[in-house]
Amino acid sequence: MTKKKAIVIGSGFAGLSSACYLAKAGFEVSIFEKNEQAGGRARKLEINGFTFDMGPSWYWMPDVFEQFFKDFNTTVEKQYDLIRLDPSYAVFFGKDDVFRIPANLNDVYALFEKEEPGSSIQLKKFLADAEYKYNVSMSDFVHKPSLSLLEFIDFRILNAALRMDLFKSISKYIKKHFKNQKLVQLLEFPVLFLGAKPNETPALYSMMNYADIVLGTWYPMGGMFKIVEAMISLAKQQNVLIKTNETVQKIIVKNKIATGIVSNGIIYEADVIVGAADYHHIEQNLLEEPYRNYSKSYWESRKMAPSCLMYYIGIDKKIEGLEHHNLFFDAPFDLHAEEIYDRPQWPSNPLFYSTCASKTDKTVAPEGKENLVLLIPIAVEIEDTEAIREKYFTIMMDRLEHLTGQSIKQHVIVKHSYAIKDFKNDYNSFGGNAYGLANTLKQTAILKPSLKNKKVQNLYYAGQLTVPGPGVPPSIISGHIAAKEIIKKFKN
Ligand SMILES: Cc1cc2nc3c(=O)[nH]c(=O)nc-3n(C[C@H](O)[C@H](O)[C@H](O)COP(=O)(O)OP(=O)(O)OC[C@H]3O[C@@H](n4cnc5c(N)ncnc54)[C@H](O)[C@@H]3O)c2cc1C
């Protein structure tokens, strides 16, 4: 029997994941990737002996990675050397005012108690609830295609949904448990990952606090790109063809059935297509209008997660006082969030974040030197010029020097910036977004862009703009859900 042909557009985590599952189910799979390197937003950048992860740096939800590799009869340990970071990260509230979040849970309770007497008891309750939400979400919600409300009509799920705090904001929920402003910020921070203001994010997402504080922050030695390499190698073992430097220009539709693509001017036929590049780009640029699930105005009315300004920096000395992950919360969170979501503009006094992977990993910087990535979340679709980027580079450098009490700027020997224009050019990202759609209640589960084209047969979508949402683990799950739907359809 001839194998069914699947074409996957895009080689990010979602594309690689769907390709692996489809190949395992017997499809002949080809991935078409516009960039020279596979991995999408998680590509790596190498400059003069420094190796930078270009996108994700926080390895959270290790259970999702374990499950993925288990599905292919292997384990995380066999794929890369994963270590738990301790401290998980540092939070700078000011000079000499730094929280180092310990990996050990009892030490976290002690840290809370020291800051706000009684808060460790609150934290225990808060985390028990967060654990419940995490477990129910992972077992009952996250793996659903969310194509119909009927999927959720089951007594156990409905009962659980009532306990999931869908209609409360996470901001109110956190403030109900904790008064201390620093503890509140600490617990609101994972929402940054989800790209929405805490007062607009459902309290359901306190499950991310469980992921953070209990499940922990991990690091694959060699960098996050090691995960991409492992997935590429699994795909290749199953004869997936990964074609890079292939820009897909069109999805061909005949009689309301997707029959192939045009890439670099050449037609490739397929029985099924997975659009695992940014959903907006697939629909608005590769599909003719009558076949699109959503209109231009639909996209304009979406709340996007932020873009970001990043600097990949090599330093010619070691920096004292930094951890692997560092959050700089020495500025008001609310004002910055407003300048991302309500009045889009460059932030007047930004929070920022820095990874210094060379604190853990000798391979990512030459000996005695430091590998630093700086990141400021910013609104999508704002002006992006060299002069603006440089202005914010100076702001971050000055703050870093002040907070860690040493000179850093004059030790920069490698410097590469990345922001809105690059997200658009490299990934065809809508508005230059970094993390897809904001996880607001109105953009959750069944209210997210559908995993399946409703007008064209055999065209599916995967990736951070569809279910379950942004982040590496959700993108891997998304590829799996799309593949499961396709396998189900082609079995019949
Ligand atoms: C700066 C940054 C930091 C992040 N930090 C974290 C973190 O710490 N932890 C975490 O879990 N998540 C993090 N994320 C989110 C996470 O990286 C993403 O959710 C995830 O990588 C998205 O995967 P994807 O497969 O959906 O999309 P992508 O990785 O964007 O893959 C889509 C691919 O499609 C390709 N493509 C686009 N158009 C075409 C075309 N016409 N033809 C062919 N190919 C095309 C693109 O080149 C790209 O390779 C971060 C993201 C960014 C940007």
Side-chain angles (χ1 to χ4, degrees):
M1 210 174 75
T2 54
K3 284 185 161 192
K4 294 284 180 201
K5 278 190 184 160
I7 284 180
V8 176
I9 306 171
S11 68
F13 285 110
L16 288 168
S17 161
S18 63
C20 286
Y21 283 107
L22 287 172
K24 186 181 168 197
F27 285 76
E28 183 186 318
V29 187
S30 309
I31 300 180
F32 285 71
E33 166 56 52
K34 80 180 267 293
N35 291 323
E36 199 180 336
Q37 206 188 115
R41 281 165 166 83
R43 288 174 304 153
K44 72 173 170 186
L45 176 69
E46 290 172 302
I47 313 175
N48 299 343
F50 293 89
T51 306
F52 304 98
D53 278 315
M54 292 189 74
S57 56
W58 297 73
Y59 189 111
W60 274 11
M61 304 166 73
D63 47 320
V64 173
F65 300 88
E66 273 159 29
Q67 185 58 51
F68 175 81
F69 288 112
K70 193 168 160 217
D71 286 346
F72 296 92
N73 301 320
T74 180
T75 58
V76 164
E77 296 80 65
K78 285 188 185 148
Q79 298 300 323
Y80 42 83
D81 179 14
L82 188 67
I83 58 158
R84 184 160 180 183
L85 297 178
D86 189 8
S88 303
Y89 49 94
V91 188
F92 289 74
F93 291 105
K95 196 167 163 53
D96 305 321
D97 186 6
V98 186
F99 281 15
R100 291 189 158 75
I101 310 302
N104 181 296
L105 190 53
N106 285 327
D107 294 341
V108 180
Y109 291 137
L111 185 146
F112 268 64
E113 196 60 33
K114 193 168 154 234
E115 213 47 40
E116 180 181 325
S119 65
S120 63
I121 296 165
Q122 288 298 318
L123 185 61
K124 272 182 198 150
K125 278 192 217 149
F126 183 90
L127 288 178
D129 236 31
E131 179 177 7
Y132 172 81
K133 290 173 190 169
Y134 187 88
N135 289 337
V136 172
S137 296
M138 296 310 284
S139 60
D140 289 340
F141 290 101
V142 159
H143 294 271
K144 292 205 178 291
S146 293
L147 296 170
S148 152
L149 255 187
L150 293 175
E151 293 166 31
F152 299 92
I153 298 184
D154 164 303
F155 177 73
R156 202 170 65 92
I157 296 182
L158 283 179
N159 190 30
L162 295 174
R163 275 188 67 189
M164 298 292 272
D165 290 326
L166 272 174
F167 302 105
K168 246 182 242 164
S169 89
I170 192 160
S171 177
K172 270 197 188 147
Y173 181 70
I174 291 172
K175 285 174 187 152
K176 203 178 94 186
H177 290 79
F178 308 95
K179 300 281 165 283
N180 180 285
Q181 190 51 31
K182 288 180 196 163
L183 299 183
V184 169
Q185 281 204 350
L186 193 67
L187 293 167
E188 283 185 349
F189 128 76
V191 167
L192 285 178
F193 276 58
L194 306 165
K197 283 168 62 178
N199 62 0
E200 287 174 7
T201 303
L204 160 71
Y205 288 108
S206 68
M207 66 179 170
M208 295 308 285
N209 297 115
Y210 174 75
D212 166 4
I213 296 172
V214 182
L215 299 182
T217 303
W218 300 75
Y219 176 76
M221 294 301 277
M224 295 292 278
F225 193 73
K226 286 286 166 200
I227 317 166
V228 174
E229 284 177 349
M231 290 177 78
I232 290 176
S233 134
L234 271 189
K236 287 189 175 165
Q237 281 164 30
Q238 297 176 94
N239 300 320
V240 172
L241 190 63
I242 303 179
K243 290 162 78 77
T244 52
N245 294 314
E246 289 278 357
T247 300
V248 176
Q249 286 121 1
K250 188 179 162 79
I251 294 172
I252 304 165
V253 178
K254 286 185 190 152
N255 300 325
K256 298 191 179 169
I257 299 174
T259 60
I261 57 158
V262 179
S263 177
N264 293 352
I266 298 170
I267 295 176
Y268 296 87
E269 291 181 345
D271 298 294
V272 63
I273 293 166
V274 181
D278 278 32
Y279 200 121
H280 165 271
H281 166 67
I282 299 273
E283 285 243 313
Q284 296 289 310
N285 302 332
L286 308 188
L287 264 185
E288 283 169 22
E289 200 170 344
Y291 306 130
R292 296 174 191 160
N293 270 346
Y294 306 102
S295 65
K296 201 162 170 273
S297 59
Y298 167 88
W299 286 106
E300 280 159 6
S301 67
R302 293 306 86 186
K303 204 160 215 159
M304 299 310 292
S307 182
C308 53
L309 165 65
M310 270 180 291
Y311 270 95
Y312 308 102
I313 297 167
I315 307 282
D316 74 357
K317 64 164 190 175
K318 294 309 260 184
I319 304 176
E320 297 303 313
L322 287 187
E323 301 296 338
H324 185 117
H325 291 294
N326 308 275
L327 299 162
F328 295 92
F329 284 1
D330 54 324
F333 189 99
D334 291 351
L335 177 64
H336 189 160
E338 258 175 61
E339 289 168 340
I340 295 175
Y341 298 105
D342 304 339
R343 296 175 285 112
Q345 58 186 286
W346 280 88
S348 23
N349 188 14
L351 305 165
F352 67 102
Y353 153 68
S354 155
T355 323
C356 188
S358 47
K359 290 283 177 214
T360 312
D361 188 345
K362 286 195 176 76
T363 67
V364 298
E367 205 180 334
K369 304 197 174 20
E370 213 87 272
N371 163 325
L372 206 60
V373 179
L374 304 176
L375 183 154
I376 305 183
I378 55 173
V380 289
E381 212 60 282
I382 52 176
E383 192 187 11
D384 174 15
T385 64
E386 267 318 304
I388 297 176
R389 292 183 185 196
E390 196 56 35
K391 174 182 153 188
Y392 282 88
F393 176 72
T394 305
I395 291 175
M396 287 191 281
M397 276 293 145
D398 289 350
R399 295 246 301 270
L400 257 184
E401 291 189 342
H402 167 70
L403 291 166
T404 62
Q406 63 209 292
S407 70
I408 299 176
K409 197 173 178 189
Q410 70 190 70
H411 294 276
V412 171
I413 50 171
V414 162
K415 180 178 165 196
H416 182 87
S417 69
Y418 201 93
I420 294 178
K421 274 188 197 160
D422 305 294
F423 280 108
K424 288 185 182 176
N425 289 339
D426 288 353
Y427 308 121
N428 288 314
S429 147
F430 180 44
N433 80 79
Y435 319 103
L437 279 174
N439 268 356
T440 57
L441 180 57
K442 287 185 192 152
Q443 299 184 159
T444 293
I446 192 162
L447 302 173
K448 272 194 194 298
S450 171
L451 190 91
K452 194 170 161 191
N453 190 297
K454 297 166 189 164
K455 298 171 186 166
V456 176
Q457 280 190 51
N458 304 346
L459 175 55
Y460 295 78
Y461 304 85
Q464 63 174 2
L465 281 113
T466 180
V467 286
V472 176
S475 300
I476 292 176
I477 292 171
S478 170
H480 188 194
I481 305 173
K484 276 195 292 193
E485 286 299 296
I486 293 167
I487 294 162
K488 199 164 73 188
K489 154 118 200 235
F490 277 81
K491 256 193 185 163
N492 301 325

